[in-house]
Amino acid sequence: MPVYTFDLHSHVNEGKVTAQDYFERAKTVGVDVIAITEHAHIQPKEAFEKLENSVPEGMVLIPGSELNCEYGHLLCYAKDREFFEISDLFVENVKFETCLDIAKQEGLLLSISHPWGFNSDSFGYTLGFEKLEELVFESKIGVEIYNGMIGSIANFIYETGWVKKPVSFLDFLEKNRVARKTGLGRLSGGLRSKIDQQRRNIVERCSKAIELANTARFVTAGSDAHVSNRIGEGILKLKSEETRLTSQNVLEELRKKENVIWSGPLVVEREPGVYERADKPFNNKEILQGMGYATRKFVKKVKEKARFRKKNVEKNSLK
């Protein structure tokens, strides 16, 4: 039975990725099916049109978008470009029930994007685990079980991965010039300790998504790539009786959760059934950007408290 490799979460507009670079990378890492899921507010139709005429033979491009749902980001997949004409989907804070109704009418697939990925745009932080688990079960939608950005940050923070060898993210920050510019390296011990807790939180974001996925009717996984060289760094491998996947049968195959044999970072098969991790470590700049985005509200609050305390010290010293 053939096994196909999917990357079901990618972007091109923000990073100004060209079609050539996009597909060259996808071919290099062995992706068979890739979904373009540009953010709903960043011209998803234009992103699809940029790619649709350059799809390599044998590869499937799924039209999609990362919708700005009222509870957080929601991945949406379609069979054809007519999807981009459904204007009710591409609005800020679109109601979840609206997405669900349209998906049923139009044969779309919905999957919750990075359920505990980023505080500002993830279902988990809006609803909490129990309510989200109930929503996933009742609505029969999918869950992004692995997000390449979140997973790579987690593995950086724990170096060899999955809580084997903890390393201090703060030590990394203090040695980095970007950290010196932000002033994070000069925070007091108490504030340092609070930020240090966030590194553990990043790993929990991955494990919670896996737990939630047990409830889901189907699962997805993707790189969440915003630049071409990150495409394929979050993948799903799925076996299928279909000898060839097409835009017409690929969504139906994705519904078959029981056929998923891998969902996680990019891997290569070294021998039958034995896989080895193959994704590249994030560089310092990418890690800082990802951590900053994931914990932006927390870090902002910490820095505001530090500034407030400094003002009080200066005020008291003048008395």
Side-chain angles (χ1 to χ4, degrees):
M1 190 180 291
V3 173
Y4 299 98
T5 300
F6 295 70
D7 182 343
L8 295 165
H9 191 163
S10 70
H11 304 267
V12 295
N13 284 347
E14 283 180 277
K16 297 180 181 178
V17 178
T18 66
Q20 180 179 348
D21 289 345
Y22 183 89
F23 287 119
E24 271 187 16
R25 168 66 180 176
K27 284 172 63 178
T28 298
V29 297
V31 170
D32 301 299
V33 180
I34 189 163
I36 176 60
T37 53
E38 195 56 77
H39 294 289
H41 60 289
I42 311 183
Q43 291 80 47
K45 181 180 179 181
E46 176 190 290
F48 177 75
E49 289 174 342
K50 183 188 292 187
L51 301 173
E52 66 176 330
N53 294 322
S54 302
V55 185
E57 186 176 352
M59 190 179 295
V60 178
L61 176 68
I62 300 177
S65 180
E66 193 167 16
L67 305 178
N68 296 316
C69 178
E70 59 181 323
Y71 301 136
H73 285 179
L74 183 65
L75 293 164
C76 186
Y77 307 104
K79 289 183 178 180
D80 55 54
R81 65 188 341 272
E82 298 305 313
F83 160 68
F84 298 107
E85 307 308 320
I86 309 173
S87 58
D88 288 348
L89 286 175
F90 301 100
V91 296
E92 189 70 23
N93 294 322
V94 58
K95 296 293 183 185
F96 177 74
E97 288 300 325
T98 299
C99 297
L100 206 57
D101 290 344
I102 293 174
K104 288 176 181 176
Q105 293 167 17
E106 304 292 337
L108 310 175
L109 277 189
L110 298 176
S111 180
I112 294 172
S113 180
H114 45 68
W116 277 271
F118 306 122
N119 299 17
S120 57
D121 51 26
S122 299
F123 273 59
Y125 295 103
T126 307
L127 297 173
F129 190 89
E130 289 185 7
K131 285 185 179 178
L132 180 51
E133 189 175 43
E134 185 178 332
L135 178 144
V136 168
F137 180 77
E138 291 182 351
S139 59
K140 302 177 182 178
I141 63 172
V143 167
E144 186 176 53
I145 192 171
Y146 184 85
N147 177 287
M149 171 64 82
I150 300 298
S152 292
I153 293 172
N155 278 289
F156 167 82
I157 293 168
Y158 281 88
E159 214 164 43
T160 54
W162 314 119
V163 203
K164 253 186 176 180
K165 185 180 178 185
V167 296
S168 174
F169 181 66
L170 292 179
D171 288 346
F172 168 76
L173 279 176
E174 289 183 343
K175 293 172 185 174
N176 192 286
R177 63 183 181 81
V178 179
R180 290 198 292 275
K181 286 184 180 180
T182 63
L184 287 174
R186 295 190 294 274
L187 294 177
S188 67
L191 295 177
R192 282 168 50 86
S193 177
K194 287 181 180 178
I195 295 180
D196 197 43
Q197 292 170 10
Q198 297 303 302
R199 66 192 179 95
R200 296 179 181 85
N201 175 265
I202 294 292
V203 173
E204 288 176 6
R205 294 171 195 241
C206 293
S207 60
K208 280 185 178 180
I210 294 169
E211 187 179 350
L212 179 67
N214 291 329
T215 310
R217 181 61 62 91
F218 65 95
V219 296
T220 61
S223 61
D224 200 358
H226 286 67
V227 292
S228 61
N229 65 2
R230 289 296 167 191
I231 288 170
E233 298 205 349
I235 59 168
L236 181 141
K237 284 184 174 288
L238 182 142
K239 60 184 180 180
S240 171
E241 293 181 354
E242 298 285 348
T243 55
R244 180 170 176 265
L245 293 184
T246 68
S247 59
Q248 297 306 304
N249 66 17
V250 69
L251 296 189
E252 191 55 40
E253 291 304 295
L254 271 176
R255 295 179 190 273
K256 299 174 182 177
K257 184 179 179 180
E258 68 278 7
N259 285 345
V260 173
I261 64 172
W262 174 259
S263 51
L266 180 65
V267 291
V268 293
E269 193 170 20
R270 294 305 183 194
E271 55 184 272
V274 178
Y275 294 93
E276 180 179 298
R277 187 164 183 161
D279 55 341
K280 294 188 302 181
F282 272 33
N283 61 42
N284 293 357
K285 183 178 178 182
E286 289 172 314
I287 291 294
L288 282 170
Q289 287 173 339
M291 280 295 293
Y293 187 67
T295 59
R296 99 175 24 151
K297 289 182 179 178
F298 176 83
V299 172
K300 183 181 179 183
K301 193 179 294 183
V302 166
K303 290 174 74 177
E304 284 173 352
K305 283 182 179 178
R307 280 196 295 269
F308 179 75
R309 193 159 33 245
K310 182 180 178 183
K311 282 184 181 179
N312 279 345
V313 170
E314 290 174 348
K315 188 187 295 183
N316 291 334
S317 67
L318 294 174
K319 290 181 180 178

